[in-house]
């Protein structure tokens, strides 16, 4: 039996860059606390949801131990952990490192398109499928000017979606856009 009461093994990739990323996130002031930057990250997550037509989207910073939803968009009255995170406020913006698909994007350092997560045994066994009902994922890494993958931007849905090449190009463009915003934030001193 594995954690979370399932018989499926968790297949989160090993992250060789965790300590470097954690240090970079600390230097940038990201991933540790709730502050005024939430407004811009939440607004960006709202934009991602609008552009992709999805009910959920996230700007996610990942350290060595957990994921932090700095930007979060959920539909009003949403069920599941993402909806609970939105309604619980900033304290509900953390997720275990072995949940979801963003840690895979982070380690791979390239976008991931899963039109139906259940089509892939490696991804179908992830706790977010049963716990939250995620069925479709589109995510890209946030690689900053130093070459560190800080986290991800992603769009998710509770139904399978045909993202196609257009979806892939869109999420990659959105990732580049948020990285530029992060770099401007760094230059301006937060």
């Amino acid at each position: 039996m594995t954690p979370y009461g399932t018989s499926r093994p968790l297949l989160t990739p090993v992250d060789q860059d965790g300590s470097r990323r954690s240090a970079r996130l600390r230097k940038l002031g990201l991933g540790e606390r709730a502050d005024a930057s939430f407004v811009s990250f939440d607004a960006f997550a709202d934009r991602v949801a609008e552009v992709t037509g999805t009910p959920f989207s996230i700007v996610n910073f990942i350290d060595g131990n957990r994921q932090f939803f700095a930007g979060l968009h959920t539909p009003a009255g949403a069920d599941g952990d993402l909806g609970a995170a939105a309604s619980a406020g900033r304290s509900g913006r953390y997720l275990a490192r072995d949940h979801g698909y963003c840690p895979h994007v982070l380690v791979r350092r390239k976008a991931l398109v899963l039109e139906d997560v259940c089509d892939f045994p490696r991804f179908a066994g992830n706790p977010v499928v049963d716990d939250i009902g995620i069925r479709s994922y589109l995510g890209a890494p946030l690689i900053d000017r130093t070459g560190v993958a800080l986290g991800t931007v992603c769009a998710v849905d509770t139904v399978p979606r045909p993202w196609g090449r257009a979806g892939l190009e869109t999420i990659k463009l959105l990732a580049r856009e948020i990285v530029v915003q992060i770099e401007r934030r760094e230059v301006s001193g937060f």
Side-chain angles (χ1 to χ4, degrees):
M1 184 71 83
T2 61
Y4 317 107
T6 69
S7 59
R8 293 178 265 186
L10 296 177
L11 301 170
T12 304
V14 175
D15 180 10
Q16 302 293 332
D17 210 19
S19 61
R20 184 172 172 221
R21 176 179 317 98
S22 293
R24 183 75 176 131
L25 288 169
R26 275 191 305 279
K27 182 176 181 181
L28 292 169
L30 300 171
E32 289 295 322
R33 65 186 187 283
D35 62 21
S37 68
F38 273 101
V39 175
S40 63
F41 288 128
D42 280 344
F44 193 84
D46 291 344
R47 185 162 165 262
V48 171
E50 182 180 333
V51 168
T52 60
T54 56
F56 301 98
S57 62
I58 303 165
V59 176
N60 188 10
F61 298 114
I62 304 170
D63 66 18
N65 301 309
R66 63 186 178 181
Q67 302 177 62
F68 175 63
F69 301 158
L72 179 63
H73 172 88
T74 64
D79 293 330
D81 286 348
L82 286 176
S87 63
R90 295 179 177 133
S91 63
R93 289 179 179 251
Y94 295 95
L95 188 64
R97 178 126 177 12
D98 57 2
H99 280 55
Y101 310 106
C102 290
H104 294 272
V105 171
L106 194 73
V107 171
R108 291 166 33 114
R109 298 177 58 87
K110 62 184 197 177
L112 178 63
V113 177
L114 300 171
E115 294 182 347
D116 186 343
V117 299
C118 293
D119 288 344
F120 303 89
R122 176 179 191 161
F123 299 115
N126 197 287
V128 297
V129 175
D130 294 331
D131 296 348
I132 304 173
I134 300 302
R135 286 292 302 272
S136 186
Y137 175 90
L138 178 65
L142 303 175
I143 301 173
D144 79 351
R145 64 178 177 74
T146 68
V148 173
L150 302 171
T152 64
V153 61
C154 69
V156 295
D157 207 336
T158 57
V159 296
R161 294 185 57 123
W163 300 109
R165 177 156 299 282
L168 173 65
E169 294 306 318
T170 297
I171 203 68
K172 288 166 56 176
L173 180 65
L174 289 164
R176 285 190 295 273
E177 188 177 321
I178 194 68
V179 167
V180 167
Q181 288 185 26
I182 291 166
E183 290 171 352
R184 281 187 194 139
R185 182 178 185 267
E186 179 182 24
V187 168
S188 71
F190 311 171

